[in-house]
Amino acid sequence: MTGPMLGAGGTNRPASDGTGRRAVSFAAAAGLGAQAVTIGGGLVAQVIVARHLGTADFGVYSIATTLTYLFAVVLRFGLHGLAVRSVAQAAASGPGTEGAVARHLAVLSGRIALVGLPLLGLAVIPLAGSLLLSGRLDGETIWVLSATISLEAVRFVCSECFRGLHRQGMAAAFGNAGRTLAFVALVAAVVLVGDESGLDVVLMVALVASAVSAVVAATALRRVLRCTTPAGVVAEPTARGTLRQGSPFLAAELCAFTIALGDVLVVGYFASDVDVALYAAASRAASMLAIPATILVGLLSPLIASMWARGERVALQRLLSRMVTISGGVGLVGLLGVVLLGGWVLSTLFGPDFAAGSTVLTVLALGATANVFFGQGFQLLILCGRARTATSIMVTFSAMTIAAEIVAAARWGILGVAAASAAGVALQQFCLTIIAKRTIGIGAYPFAGVRNRYLGEVS
């Protein structure tokens, strides 16, 4: 099997422009497909589980899975983001070195997971459960969640190593998309076969899906590295140095978690299980409105990087303006549908008991629509050399948003949390877009290209 950076004919020369464009196109297509499967499959899974468990148990399930995601983020310590960057850079520097880097990151992730497992099971999950679930997690469920967290951390680092190796199809298959499909298939089978199964069985199914995905991803990565990498090519870096390099990726992902899912934990602390269920269902439905922004991130990222590097600022400005304007129109149509049919949407998807969350859905949909209009600012800053600025803004708004959600929850309940969350998303994305305009001269907002065309704001 040839290395990922080999050009035509198996030589170690750079790929031609045509090959490079095809590689970028395939990477974008694989990324978009994986995002579509993850988002759509996630909604299907939530619908199946909500209808099977009912509102109260679905509230507990929502908090448990949110905690799983949070602690998996902490446990992988940014190694997944470091894998994409470091492995790709190693591949560009010479054949063979990328495999050694990928192997080091995967092994380090496994070691962290093994050390973290007893800590999660003995202290972290019991403490979080006592705060958010009033101690309703029994000992077996605590260890199921702990094992799921450890496996998820390792699985995602391995899948992102494939992305660094420029194997986008394998990254999608072993990443969140593959794991989501496995969970949907297993939970659907359990629901169809055993109608009496409860929350503990659903969480066990999630553990099985994570275990299978992690084992398959690690096995596939080992085989790829065995075929492509000679032993002892590069000196292995220290674990401390690697974790220090991964810390910025960890900080960025924690900020993203705070904005996307932190509100569910706030609701879990202040509200009942039924309110958590209503909020989680509304949040999942509202996230569907942000799909155009998610698609644009995957589609435009390689174009932004290449056009900026070539100095094509006017063309980049017009491209971003047109794409955001189109996606914004789609977002407005979705928002109108939520305003008119929000209760019906929740009732149809999750069950009649969830229709009471229609007002929360409408408020959250406003934030999701703002994300569609102004959701390219962070990516634009990152790809155009303003990563520190983008990260600083993310950290600031994440802290402000979570604080506002806590205050709003204590005074106005889940509707107050929804308002604080939507406002936090809208203000963060708007600020990122404005900062991008002022620092690099590119406006990633609707009709920005019209202004630039007539006023010459971008040269």
Side-chain angles (χ1 to χ4, degrees):
M1 187 177 299
T2 57
M5 295 301 290
L6 298 182
T11 58
N12 293 330
R13 63 176 181 270
S16 65
D17 291 341
T19 302
R21 283 193 295 269
R22 287 194 297 271
V24 169
S25 299
F26 178 75
L32 291 176
Q35 289 170 355
V37 170
T38 301
I39 295 172
L43 176 62
V44 171
Q46 294 281 313
V47 168
I48 294 174
V49 172
R51 286 185 167 275
H52 180 64
L53 295 179
T55 51
D57 279 350
F58 182 68
V60 177
Y61 168 82
S62 299
I63 296 176
T65 53
T66 303
L67 288 173
T68 299
Y69 183 83
L70 170 62
F71 293 126
V73 168
V74 175
L75 207 58
R76 59 182 177 244
F77 212 89
L79 296 182
H80 62 295
L82 186 62
V84 177
R85 187 188 71 182
S86 299
V87 174
Q89 289 177 347
S93 65
T97 58
E98 70 275 14
V101 175
R103 182 183 293 108
H104 167 68
L105 293 172
V107 170
L108 179 59
S109 176
R111 291 173 178 172
I112 294 174
L114 286 176
V115 173
L117 178 59
L119 181 62
L120 287 167
L122 294 174
V124 177
I125 299 299
L127 177 60
S130 65
L131 291 175
L132 299 174
L133 296 169
S134 302
R136 278 168 290 183
L137 297 179
D138 57 30
E140 181 181 350
T141 304
I142 287 173
W143 284 104
V144 166
L145 291 177
S146 301
T148 303
I149 292 167
S150 299
L151 289 166
E152 280 295 286
V154 176
R155 174 194 64 81
F156 199 61
V157 172
C158 290
S159 69
E160 292 302 277
C161 284
F162 283 111
R163 200 177 306 280
L165 292 167
H166 302 285
R167 298 172 182 267
Q168 305 297 337
M170 299 181 77
F174 302 132
N176 289 333
R179 194 268 181 185
T180 299
L181 288 178
F183 177 67
V184 170
L186 289 172
V187 77
V190 168
V191 169
L192 291 174
V193 173
D195 291 336
E196 300 302 321
S197 59
L199 176 63
D200 55 341
V201 174
V202 173
L203 293 177
M204 181 63 70
V205 168
L207 171 60
V208 172
S210 295
V212 171
S213 301
V215 170
V216 172
T219 302
L221 181 62
R222 182 180 180 183
R223 289 181 178 178
V224 168
L225 297 183
R226 184 183 300 169
C227 294
T228 58
T229 309
V233 175
V234 293
E236 184 174 298
T238 63
R240 179 179 298 181
T242 302
L243 295 178
R244 185 166 53 247
Q245 293 179 53
S247 58
F249 295 99
L250 172 62
E253 193 170 17
L254 286 176
C255 291
F257 169 87
T258 301
I259 292 294
L261 294 172
D263 51 350
V264 176
L265 298 183
V266 172
V267 172
Y269 184 80
F270 286 96
S272 66
D273 293 342
V274 173
D275 283 341
V276 173
L278 296 178
Y279 192 95
S283 178
R284 172 62 71 174
S287 68
M288 297 298 102
L289 298 182
I291 288 178
T294 304
I295 291 176
L296 283 187
V297 168
L299 183 64
L300 295 177
S301 292
L303 295 175
I304 291 173
S306 59
M307 294 176 73
W308 178 261
R310 293 193 300 264
E312 300 174 357
R313 298 191 178 189
V314 173
L316 176 58
Q317 169 70 90
R318 291 174 179 170
L319 173 65
L320 286 173
S321 177
R322 289 170 183 169
M323 297 299 289
V324 172
T325 302
I326 294 171
S327 66
V330 175
L332 285 178
V333 173
L335 176 62
L336 179 61
V338 165
V339 172
L340 297 177
L341 304 170
W344 176 83
V345 169
L346 289 176
S347 178
T348 301
L349 290 176
F350 297 94
D353 294 340
F354 289 87
S358 60
T359 304
V360 173
L361 171 59
T362 300
V363 174
L364 291 175
L366 292 172
T369 305
N371 189 29
V372 175
F373 278 103
F374 302 104
Q376 307 304 310
F378 179 78
Q379 199 74 0
L380 184 60
L381 287 169
I382 288 289
L383 295 173
C384 297
R386 298 292 190 277
R388 182 173 297 180
T389 300
T391 303
S392 298
I393 295 173
M394 285 280 288
V395 170
T396 300
F397 274 94
S398 296
M400 293 171 57
T401 300
I402 201 71
E405 289 170 356
I406 292 172
V407 173
R411 299 194 60 178
W412 299 292
I414 62 174
L415 189 58
V417 177
S421 176
V425 171
L427 290 174
Q428 175 187 269
Q429 302 293 32
F430 180 76
C431 183
L432 286 166
T433 301
I434 295 303
I435 294 297
K437 173 64 177 175
R438 292 185 176 276
T439 56
I440 64 178
I442 304 293
Y445 50 84
F447 304 110
V450 175
R451 294 187 63 196
N452 288 318
R453 179 179 179 183
Y454 290 103
L455 300 180
E457 292 182 5
V458 174
S459 58

